[in-house]
Amino acid sequence: MERVQRRFTTMLPGLENGSYEASPPLEPETGESEQQRYREEISKLKMMNGELAQELYELSKEHRRKEMELEATQSRLTELLERLGKMEEARQELATRVAVLEEANWTVKEEYDTLHILYREQWQQLRTHELEVSKRIHDLLHLKAQEAQELNYKIEKPRRYPLVESGKGTRGPSQRDGMAEVEWRNQEKDLATVSSVPISNRTETMARRPANPPDGAGQEEGRSFKSSWIRSSSFSLVDQSRLKQSFRNFFRMRSSASCSEINVSSSVFCSMSRLPATVRHCMTVHDGEVNAVKFSPNSKILATGGSDRKVKLWDVVGGSLLNLKTLEGSNDGVTSIEFDPSGFQLLAGSYDNSARLWNLKDCELKHTLSGHSAKVTAAKFKFSLREAVTGSYDGMLKIWDLNKPACVKSLCSPSRCSDVVCSDCFIISGHFDRKIRLWDSRSGVQTDMIALQEKVTSLDINQDRTQLLSCSRDDQLSVLDMRMNKIRQELRAEGFKCGADWTKAIFSPDGNYIAAGSADGVLHVWDVLTGDVVALLRGEHRSSINAVSWSLSGDYLVTVDRTKVANLWSDY
C-alpha cells in the first residue's frame, strides 16, 4: 500500500500535503493546445488510477493469502510444541529408566568382576594343585622304580649265589658285568609287565617277605614271592602306559646316533601340558625355510622339514636338539610331516606333487605316493595305520592304501586344500575358498561344510576328537564343536598376524591351550576355556613362525620360522 501511495503522490505532488485543488476552469481565451494538454494529463491520471486499483487488489489478495499461511504456520507450530512437550516427557521417562538400568548394570558388573576374580583365583589354585599332583606322581613313580629295582635285585640275589660259588670257580669282573647286564635287561622286561604297584599291597608284601632267605629255598621262595608281588599289583594313580614309560625311561640307556638305534617306542600320554616360558635351545636346522615340525608319539624324536628337500630327525636330550639322521628322497621342499601312532613310520608331503613314506627302523624310503597335479600341502595317517590321506593345491583329497601302495579313493573339492585332519571314519579339509569340508571317508561323500571369513591355513583336532581348531588369513583362530559342527569360540589377539598361507596352529596335548606363531616372530598361547592370551613369548625368531609342535608329554614345544631357525621351549 505504501508503494502505491508513493507512486500516486509522485505524479500528483499536491497529494503530499493531503489536499488536491481542482484546476480552475479555463477561460475562453485559453489556447486550444493548453486544453489538449490538460485532457492528456487527466487521461494519464485515470489510467494510473486504474493500475493502482488493480495493484491494490492484488496486494490485498496476497495479504489475505499470507494471513492464511500465517494462521496455518501458527497452528502447525502449536501442534509441534505439543508434540515437543510429550517427547520431552517421554525423554525424561527414558532418562529415568536409563539411570535405573545403569545402576542395575553397575551392580551386576561389580558382581561379575567379583565372581571373575574368584574364578581366576580358583582356576589358578586348581592349576597349582594339578602341578603339585603331577610332580608328586612323577616322584612316586621314580621312587617306585627305585624300590622295584632294589626289590628285584634282592629277589634275584639267591639265584646269583649258586652261579658264583659253583665248582667252576669265580667269574672275573668282565663276566660279572656281562651277567649284570643280562640280569638288568631281564629285570626291565619283568618290570614292563607290571601294570601297577599299590603302596598298601607293597607294604603288606614287604612285611610278609622273609628278611634273609636261605640259600637252598631262596630260588623257589624268590620266584613265588616275585610272581605274587606282580599278580597283586593294581594302580589307581596313573594309567598303565605312563607307568611303563616311566620304567622304560628309568632303565633306558641313551643310544648313539645310528639310525638302527633310534628310539621310536610307544606313545606317552600327557596328564597336563606345561606353559612354555623360556627357550632352552635355538639352532639353525635346515639350509632353507623350515615349513613343518612334528614330535614323535614318545616325545623323544623331533622331525623337521624344509625347503632344502630334507627331513631331519632330532633327539631331544636335556633340553637340546641332537641331529640323529637326515631322510632324503624328496625332489622338492617338504610341506608337512606326520608320524604314525606307533612311531615307526614317517609321512611327508612335498612341493613335487607327491608324498613319501619312510620306515624309521632302518630310515629307508618305503613308498612314494604320486598322483596329484599340484603340490601336496598335507599328508596324514589314518588310525588304521594301513591308510593315509593327502591334500593338494589341485583340490583333490586322496586316500592311499599303504600296503600296495595305491590310491583307493579320490575326493574332489572346488578349491585348493591347505590342511587335513582325519580318523578312520571321517576326513576334514581346509580350503582357500574359506570353507572347512567334512567327508565320510568310507563313502567319500561330503557330509557338511563350515564357512569362515578368510581362507584356511591349518587345521588341528584335540585328543578326544570333540574340538577342531582352524587358523585363517583374517588373523583369527576358530574353535569348532565337532558334535554340532558349529564355531564355538573365536580367538584373536592384539599383534597376532597370520604370516603365510601355511601358518600352523595347534592344540596342546591335553587340549587346554592353543599355540600359534605370528608374522613378527612372537609365540601366542591362548587358554581354551577362557579364550584369553596366557603367554606372549619372543624367542630367537626374527621372521614369521611357520609351524608349531607340542610334545605329547607336555614338556616341550618347538617353533620353526622362515629363517631356518628352530626354538625349543620349556616351562623353566
Side-chain angles (χ1 to χ4, degrees):
M1 296 295 292
E2 293 178 358
R3 187 177 58 183
V4 175
Q5 185 177 2
R6 197 163 45 246
R7 287 181 60 188
F8 189 73
T9 55
T10 301
M11 300 186 66
L12 298 177
L15 290 178
E16 275 186 329
N17 300 325
S19 63
Y20 175 75
E21 296 180 359
S23 300
L26 297 176
E27 294 295 332
E29 62 271 8
T30 303
E32 204 174 301
S33 58
E34 189 69 19
Q35 292 179 0
Q36 181 68 27
R37 185 176 63 81
Y38 279 116
R39 282 195 296 271
E40 289 176 359
E41 187 176 349
I42 291 172
S43 177
K44 288 180 181 179
L45 290 174
K46 288 181 179 180
M47 183 180 297
M48 182 172 291
N49 187 28
E51 292 176 359
L52 291 174
Q54 181 66 29
E55 189 170 354
L56 180 61
Y57 172 77
E58 292 177 358
L59 289 175
S60 299
K61 185 178 180 181
E62 182 70 17
H63 177 69
R64 287 194 298 271
R65 186 179 66 81
K66 292 291 185 182
E67 287 181 347
M68 293 176 63
E69 289 181 357
L70 180 61
E71 291 178 358
T73 302
Q74 289 178 348
S75 176
R76 176 67 175 167
L77 180 61
T78 304
E79 293 178 0
L80 291 176
L81 289 174
E82 292 178 357
R83 289 183 60 188
L84 180 61
K86 293 179 181 179
M87 293 177 69
E88 182 66 23
E89 293 177 358
R91 188 192 68 80
Q92 292 178 358
E93 293 178 0
L94 290 175
T96 304
R97 290 182 58 189
V98 167
V100 173
L101 291 175
E102 284 181 350
E103 184 177 356
N105 184 41
W106 182 258
T107 304
V108 172
K109 186 177 183 300
E110 289 182 344
E111 294 177 357
Y112 169 78
D113 292 340
T114 303
L115 291 175
H116 187 68
I117 293 173
L118 180 62
Y119 160 75
R120 296 300 298 180
E121 292 176 353
Q122 293 180 350
W123 178 255
Q124 190 64 32
Q125 292 176 2
L126 175 62
R127 287 291 175 86
T128 304
H129 178 68
E130 288 178 346
L131 287 173
E132 292 177 356
V133 171
S134 178
K135 185 177 182 301
R136 290 182 181 180
I137 290 175
H138 183 271
D139 295 341
L140 180 61
L141 289 173
H142 186 70
L143 178 63
K144 282 184 175 294
Q146 289 180 338
E147 292 181 354
Q149 176 191 357
E150 182 181 357
L151 181 61
N152 278 350
Y153 180 80
K154 291 181 180 180
I155 291 172
E156 294 294 332
K157 186 176 180 180
R159 297 173 59 185
R160 290 196 300 272
Y161 282 144
L163 295 175
V164 176
E165 298 175 356
S166 59
K168 295 289 182 176
T170 306
R171 290 182 169 84
S174 61
Q175 293 175 326
R176 287 197 298 270
D177 292 342
M179 288 299 297
E181 183 178 356
V182 173
E183 292 173 0
W184 189 275
R185 292 178 179 175
N186 291 336
Q187 291 173 10
E188 182 181 356
K189 292 179 181 178
D190 293 339
L191 287 173
T193 62
V194 180
S195 62
S196 51
V197 183
I199 297 177
S200 58
N201 289 353
R202 175 172 54 81
T203 305
E204 294 174 1
T205 308
M206 290 287 291
R208 293 196 300 268
R209 177 193 171 196
N212 296 313
D215 293 342
Q219 296 182 9
E220 295 300 327
E221 186 175 358
R223 291 193 190 98
S224 62
F225 169 73
K226 181 177 179 181
S227 60
S228 64
W229 180 74
I230 292 176
R231 287 195 303 269
S232 64
S233 56
S234 62
F235 215 124
S236 61
L237 293 177
V238 292
D239 55 29
Q240 180 177 355
S241 61
R242 179 162 183 170
L243 181 61
K244 289 181 180 179
Q245 184 62 29
S246 299
F247 284 159
R248 290 191 186 98
N249 292 340
F250 180 78
F251 290 109
R252 175 177 172 266
M253 301 297 289
R254 180 65 63 182
S255 62
S256 63
S258 61
C259 185
S260 60
E261 297 177 352
I262 291 178
N263 182 8
V264 287
S265 57
S266 60
S267 303
V268 175
F269 295 96
C270 174
S271 60
M272 186 176 68
S273 299
R274 299 176 177 88
L275 275 175
T278 58
V279 176
R280 294 294 304 279
H281 192 203
C282 174
M283 66 180 301
T284 300
V285 293
H286 283 270
D287 297 330
E289 180 178 354
V290 189
N291 299 323
V293 61
K294 194 72 174 181
F295 272 100
S296 65
N298 67 354
S299 301
K300 300 299 181 183
I301 306 299
L302 179 74
T304 58
S307 58
D308 58 356
R309 309 180 182 182
K310 297 175 182 178
V311 175
K312 292 187 177 182
L313 301 179
W314 308 84
D315 194 2
V316 183
V317 182
S320 299
L321 299 177
L322 301 179
N323 187 232
L324 289 177
K325 187 70 176 179
T326 298
L327 306 180
E328 298 181 348
S330 178
N331 297 323
D332 209 335
V334 176
T335 59
S336 70
I337 292 175
E338 179 81 354
F339 285 92
D340 76 336
S342 69
F344 291 104
Q345 297 183 104
L346 184 142
L347 184 65
S350 175
Y351 285 110
D352 62 358
N353 307 346
S354 62
R356 287 171 175 81
L357 179 68
W358 282 272
N359 187 346
L360 297 185
K361 293 181 179 179
D362 53 12
C363 293
E364 294 294 331
L365 180 62
K366 187 176 180 180
H367 298 306
T368 299
L369 311 178
S370 57
H372 287 284
S373 60
K375 66 180 180 181
V376 175
T377 54
K380 302 294 178 68
F381 285 99
K382 295 181 69 175
F383 275 15
S384 64
L385 304 183
R386 296 173 298 176
E387 292 183 335
V389 178
T390 57
S392 170
Y393 267 19
D394 60 6
M396 300 294 294
L397 282 78
K398 292 183 178 291
I399 303 176
W400 304 84
D401 186 337
L402 298 179
N403 293 327
K404 297 182 181 179
C407 177
V408 295
K409 189 169 295 183
S410 295
L411 313 178
C412 183
S413 68
S415 177
R416 291 179 176 181
C417 177
S418 58
D419 204 358
V420 169
V421 294
C422 58
S423 72
D424 283 341
C425 300
F426 65 84
I427 299 172
I428 305 174
S429 58
H431 297 268
F432 278 21
D433 64 351
R434 312 175 185 177
K435 301 293 193 303
I436 297 175
R437 292 178 169 85
L438 288 78
W439 310 81
D440 187 330
S441 61
R442 291 166 293 188
S443 64
V445 177
Q446 180 178 324
T447 59
D448 204 350
M449 183 173 64
I450 303 170
L452 300 182
Q453 298 298 320
E454 264 296 342
K455 56 186 174 183
V456 182
T457 66
S458 74
L459 297 175
D460 192 30
I461 195 166
N462 63 351
Q463 290 288 342
D464 55 6
R465 296 297 195 261
T466 59
Q467 296 186 85
L468 178 72
L469 171 66
S470 71
C471 180
S472 54
R473 287 292 279 170
D474 58 352
D475 308 327
Q476 176 176 295
L477 279 68
S478 301
V479 180
L480 294 86
D481 190 338
M482 294 301 297
R483 292 162 292 191
M484 303 291 292
N485 291 344
K486 292 182 179 179
I487 297 176
R488 184 181 67 84
Q489 195 173 30
E490 293 180 347
L491 305 178
R492 290 184 179 271
E494 184 178 357
F496 175 75
K497 184 174 180 58
C498 183
D501 291 344
W502 51 89
T503 298
K504 306 300 180 186
I506 61 168
F507 280 110
S508 63
D510 59 3
N512 291 332
Y513 302 105
I514 291 173
S518 178
D520 56 0
V522 177
L523 176 64
H524 291 68
V525 183
W526 287 266
D527 189 311
V528 175
L529 182 62
T530 63
D532 298 332
V533 177
V534 293
L536 286 174
L537 306 173
R538 181 180 289 277
E540 302 299 325
H541 295 297
R542 296 297 178 265
S543 65
S544 176
I545 297 176
N546 285 338
V548 185
S549 181
W550 212 316
S551 65
L552 290 181
S553 64
D555 297 329
Y556 295 108
L557 184 144
V558 173
T559 53
V560 294
D561 66 11
R562 291 185 173 183
T563 57
K564 317 171 190 177
V565 173
N567 284 349
L568 177 66
W569 301 80
S570 71
D571 62 334
Y572 60 92

